[in-house]
Amino acid sequence: MDAVADHRDDNKMLAADDAGIAAAADALARGALVVLPTETVYGLAADATDGAAVAAIFATKDRPRFNPLICHVSDLAMAKRLARFNGLAQQLAEAFWPGPLTLVLPLAAESPVHPLATAGLQTVAVRMPSGIAGRVIERLGRPVAAPSANRSGKISPTTAKAAQDSLGPRAPMIIDAGPASVGLESTIISVGHDGKPICLRPGGLALSDIEAVVGHPVARAAANGPIAAPGMLRSHYAPNAPMRLNVTEVRPGEALLAFGPKPVNGAENAILAHNLSPTGDLAEAAANLFTTLAALDAASPSAIAAMAVPKEGLGEAINDRLARAAAPRPAG
Ligand code: TXA
Ligand code: MG
């Protein structure tokens, strides 16, 4: 608990303005944690070069083990101090940064990232977020390690309040920049030296967009294969209520997670219903997914009944998160 207390700063919400950015950068420079808004989800950030600050992330989240963290940068020059870029990595960074894409790359010689942030691996996950987070990192002048700002195993926060609620009294200062525009964690691509990209986690950048840039299909890592992102626990994003997926009818006492314009049988049985996107827009559904799951869960339904979501484009990541939310929970 001491690691948490030592690295907790004033528990307050900051505006997403110059003063908020300066206060957040100062706190990070002192080794404190800050919750930063990114376009994907809110992140629990620490100076990635400061081992004690990175350790405080794990303590604050109650992470069961030291999973490697994504290191966030404000420009390509900073990224290249952390990691080695081959031609493909350079191409992907130029096409999609800043944005919801994380690249897993070989660690650079003399990389300043603390080994706790990489879990001692010889690779590092790097991402350039857009908006406020990028401006805070630019001002700090150092990379920032940040997992999603929730207690381990819970739904990723897409608003400042969701981060505050999930971390509770342990929450550090939070910059509130409103709801995250993408709403799903970044897509993680491993770029090996053989020049072949492998998707370790589908996310807020559709693989079809990446495939359009690289010019061929991108392989998906086997869910439990050796190179899957170590943090991809099967039960994750867990609401308290059990989940039923691809439902065609709603049972009494359930909450309905609807998608698209088509009605579902038994909708009148639902104690609460929300539609991720009444028009069937996958980007809108992605942005709404985590807040909607949390809102339905808060009504304590017997189960959350989720209608099918198409698997193309961003639907791949939405289905991945729904499957994890529905997976059997670890005991306790
Ligand atoms: O959108 C996002 O990616 C958000 C925001 C805050 O940037 N962050 C996020 O972090 O989702 P987190 O810690 O929840 O997920 C990071 C994932 C984990 O599954 C971890 O195992 C994987 O990245 N990862 C990190 N470093 C890796 C590495 N060197 N090799 C393979 N996987 C790695
Ligand atoms: Mg997470």
Side-chain angles (χ1 to χ4, degrees):
M1 286 299 290
D2 281 344
V4 176
D6 289 350
H7 292 267
R8 186 169 56 214
D9 213 295
D10 298 339
N11 186 355
K12 61 183 179 209
M13 291 273 184
L14 300 175
D17 56 13
D18 289 348
I21 289 166
D26 288 352
L28 290 166
R30 294 198 296 276
L33 304 187
V34 177
V35 172
L36 292 181
T38 85
E39 72 277 58
T40 59
V41 299
Y42 278 66
L44 180 63
D47 176 349
T49 68
D50 177 340
V54 174
I57 291 179
F58 293 102
T60 301
K61 276 184 70 92
D62 271 334
R63 264 212 178 177
R65 47 186 184 171
F66 291 161
N67 289 327
L69 303 174
I70 296 172
C71 294
H72 299 71
V73 298
S74 52
D75 56 52
L76 201 51
M78 189 187 286
K80 288 183 173 176
R81 291 197 291 275
L82 315 188
R84 295 207 305 274
F85 280 68
N86 63 12
L88 175 64
Q90 176 85 25
Q91 191 185 15
L92 290 173
E94 281 171 5
F96 298 113
W97 281 359
L101 171 69
T102 293
L103 297 174
V104 173
L105 301 169
L107 205 55
E110 320 271 303
S111 177
V113 173
H114 193 275
L116 194 51
T118 56
L121 297 172
Q122 287 308 305
T123 53
V124 59
V126 188
R127 176 163 107 78
M128 190 194 297
S130 63
I132 297 295
R135 291 180 58 196
V136 172
I137 298 162
E138 183 177 26
R139 186 164 173 129
L140 178 67
R142 295 199 284 274
V144 151
S148 48
N150 50 277
R151 287 291 177 103
S152 186
K154 297 297 178 189
I155 295 170
S156 292
T158 57
T159 63
K161 182 173 184 307
Q164 168 80 69
D165 290 350
S166 188
L167 297 175
R170 291 180 179 182
M173 64 164 70
I174 300 175
I175 295 191
D176 185 352
S181 60
V182 174
L184 287 177
E185 301 87 347
S186 59
T187 299
I188 304 180
I189 301 287
S190 166
V191 180
H193 271 316
D194 63 357
K196 290 209 186 73
I198 299 173
C199 175
L200 303 185
R201 177 177 76 181
L205 178 64
L207 283 177
S208 46
D209 291 347
I210 297 174
E211 288 167 342
V213 166
V214 304
H216 58 77
V218 172
R220 276 74 165 160
N224 294 310
I227 48 167
M232 293 285 279
L233 301 175
R234 195 151 80 93
S235 166
H236 207 81
Y237 313 101
N240 293 312
M243 302 271 311
R244 283 203 309 127
L245 302 184
N246 302 318
V247 301
T248 51
E249 100 294 329
V250 183
R251 298 173 188 160
E254 289 185 332
L256 171 62
L257 184 66
F259 175 82
K262 285 212 197 98
V264 64
N265 292 330
E268 67 283 358
N269 289 328
I271 60 168
L272 183 62
H274 284 303
N275 196 320
L276 290 174
S277 172
T279 61
D281 179 297
L282 289 167
E284 182 185 29
N288 288 332
L289 180 64
F290 292 140
T291 38
T292 307
L293 270 178
L296 295 177
D297 198 33
S300 302
S302 57
I304 297 173
M307 289 170 67
V309 175
K311 294 196 168 60
E312 79 256 10
L314 286 177
E316 181 171 353
I318 295 170
N319 278 285
D320 172 84
R321 302 305 188 272
L322 287 173
R324 285 171 204 286
R329 316 289 158 78

